[in-house]
Structures are given as structure tokens and as C-alpha cells.
Amino acid sequence: MDPAAKSLVRIPDTSGFWRSPAEAWLTTADGVGLHAEYLPPGGADGSLAVVVAHGFSGAVERPALRRAAEVFARRAGVVTFSFRGHGRSGGRSTVGDREVLDLDAAVAWARSLGFERVATVGFSMGGAVVVRHAALSGGVSAVAAVSAPARWYYQGTVPMRRLHWVVMKPLGRVVGRIGLKTRIDPNEWTDVPLPPVAAAARVTVPLLVVHGDADPYFPLDHPRSLREAAPGSELWIEPGFGHAENAATEALLERVCEWLTSHA
């Protein structure tokens, strides 16, 4: 990703919408159209927007993401969007690489709505993206990465071996498109993107790493590696928590949002 490309992001003119729910189509720096939605803050503090980045195969319309957005909206304005190749957005998924441009477009939209502070929270693949975005693009006040991988190409668990088959094999991509409603770029990375653990070392804003001890995808060395790479960060190991937005309880989402509002 070329960090200078973010100056090309085009967003719709929705400057009068921040007190009401809104739907928008965003255009990324590399020309991909993204489906996005906005919920106004339910609380008294209207200065913070939280941009939520879903996990692989998620989308704006998925119940787990809508539930998380509704919880976060109790304290802040909330922008959700579908990554490229997901939901109603255009393009094809690059599984954490050019998705940084998608997040940058969503952050730009949040700022256009009049918010003084913008924080990001990402789940699984989205967790890797929010850390990489904070390192490469900046412009956010705080970051929370939930169930995020620390490094690429991890295949140490059965779910991750299955995911690699979906992403890297032609038949797997057919399954991804039909079964998971996720369109995956068939071209492998020519240059390996900055991994999340290396990006974490460059993050200069408050960083929260959240992981479950029952995560079936990534064992605890992933969140611990992220924490060690960013000495000023905070790590929560959640007993019994599984993986990403689908497993996150309302109580955990509330705590994450409280952390964001107090640290942004």
C-alpha cells in the first residue's frame, strides 16, 4: 500500500448527517467502491467516532457486526463498512493488504461527519488492518485489535488451514464466493505486506489487544507478540472468549468501547 494514496480518497458529502443514521458509498484511493453505514451517538459525548472493521467473510449487514455497532453507538458515533470483496462492496479481498485503504476511506468519512476524534476497532482480519492502518496512515486517536493475528501465513490450527485453502486454491475461492459470499483476489501477494506484529511497533497512539483463551484460530502467542512489540499497549486475555465479533459478548463490547472513549 502506498501511504501517499490516501490523499485521493473520495467520500460523499454527508456533512449534515451526523445526528441521523446514514448509508453511503465510499471510494477508496485505488478506486474501489465500499458500502458503509453510520449510527449517531446515543450518549452525551458526540466528539468521538468509532470505525469498526469486521473479520474475513463479515459485512455491514451481518448480525454480529450490527450488534457490535449498536453497542458502540451507546457511547460514540459509529461507522461500519464492508471490506472490498465483502457484502455489497466492490473489488476483491486481499486478506489484509489493501484493506488499509478501505479503512482509510471509512475514517475519512467519519471525520467528514464532524467528529473531533476517531478511534478504530477491528476483529480478526480487521484487527490486523486497524493495527497496520495506525502504523501506515495514522490519523486515529486509539486502536483496539480483537482476535487479531500477529503474523501472516499462520496455519497452526485446523480453522486456519481451512482458511488458507479457501484463499489460496481455485476451488477454495469458489467456495468463498458462493458459501461465504466473499470474493477473493486470485493473485498472491508480490510483496508481503507489513505484518501486524511489525506494524504494532510503529503505533504511537493507545493500543488495546483483546484475545480469547478459547480462540480456535490464533493461539495466545499472537496477542502476546503484539503486546510485546508495542510496549505501551494493553492486553486483555478473556477467559472463555472464542473468536472475533461472532463470539464477542455485549459485556466485552461495552468494555472495549469504554476503553476507546477513555483513551482516544
Side-chain angles (χ1 to χ4, degrees):
M1 190 208 79
D2 178 5
K6 71 175 188 172
S7 62
L8 302 175
V9 171
R10 296 182 295 276
I11 58 176
D13 181 8
T14 53
S15 56
F17 286 14
W18 81 273
R19 295 187 183 277
S20 302
E23 183 178 26
W25 286 93
L26 313 180
T27 304
T28 67
D30 59 344
V32 177
L34 303 179
H35 176 220
E37 291 185 358
Y38 165 72
L39 290 177
D45 183 5
S47 65
L48 175 68
V50 174
V51 179
V52 187
H54 61 74
F56 182 78
S57 79
V60 163
E61 59 269 20
R62 295 292 174 90
L65 192 67
R66 290 200 184 278
R67 178 172 59 90
E70 290 168 0
V71 172
F72 294 149
R74 297 170 189 170
R75 295 175 176 266
V78 178
V79 167
T80 57
F81 65 98
S82 295
F83 278 121
R84 63 185 63 205
H86 292 72
R88 294 164 61 190
S89 292
R92 294 180 178 180
S93 174
T94 62
V95 200
D97 179 13
R98 300 191 71 80
E99 281 73 13
V100 172
L101 298 176
D102 303 350
L103 180 58
D104 206 50
V107 168
W109 186 38
R111 291 203 177 282
S112 79
L113 296 171
F115 290 96
E116 298 172 8
R117 301 173 295 151
V118 178
T120 55
V121 55
F123 298 91
S124 192
M125 180 187 77
V129 173
V130 297
V131 174
R132 297 186 68 245
H133 175 268
L136 294 171
S137 297
V140 296
S141 300
V143 179
V146 183
S147 306
R151 53 193 181 274
W152 307 130
Y153 300 113
Y154 176 75
Q155 298 187 54
T157 58
V158 171
M160 284 306 297
R161 289 193 287 274
R162 290 172 178 162
L163 180 60
H164 274 76
W165 178 79
V166 168
V167 170
M168 303 188 76
K169 300 297 182 181
L171 180 58
R173 290 191 288 272
V174 172
V175 171
R177 185 179 71 251
I178 296 174
L180 301 178
K181 310 299 182 185
T182 302
R183 303 169 304 283
I184 304 162
D185 192 329
N187 299 308
E188 294 188 30
W189 292 334
T190 53
D191 297 312
V192 177
L194 181 74
V197 68
R202 303 186 189 182
V203 175
T204 58
V205 297
L207 170 63
L208 172 65
V209 179
V210 182
H211 214 88
D213 65 3
D215 192 310
Y217 287 82
F218 304 112
L220 294 179
D221 65 301
H222 284 259
R224 288 170 177 156
S225 295
L226 292 172
R227 167 66 181 85
E228 291 170 4
S233 62
E234 188 170 339
L235 173 61
W236 298 352
I237 301 296
E238 296 295 311
F241 173 42
H243 186 71
E245 63 263 46
N246 290 323
T249 64
E250 183 174 329
L252 176 58
L253 294 170
E254 279 272 15
R255 287 170 51 215
V256 170
C257 192
E258 182 179 359
W259 185 93
L260 289 171
T261 57
S262 63
H263 286 78

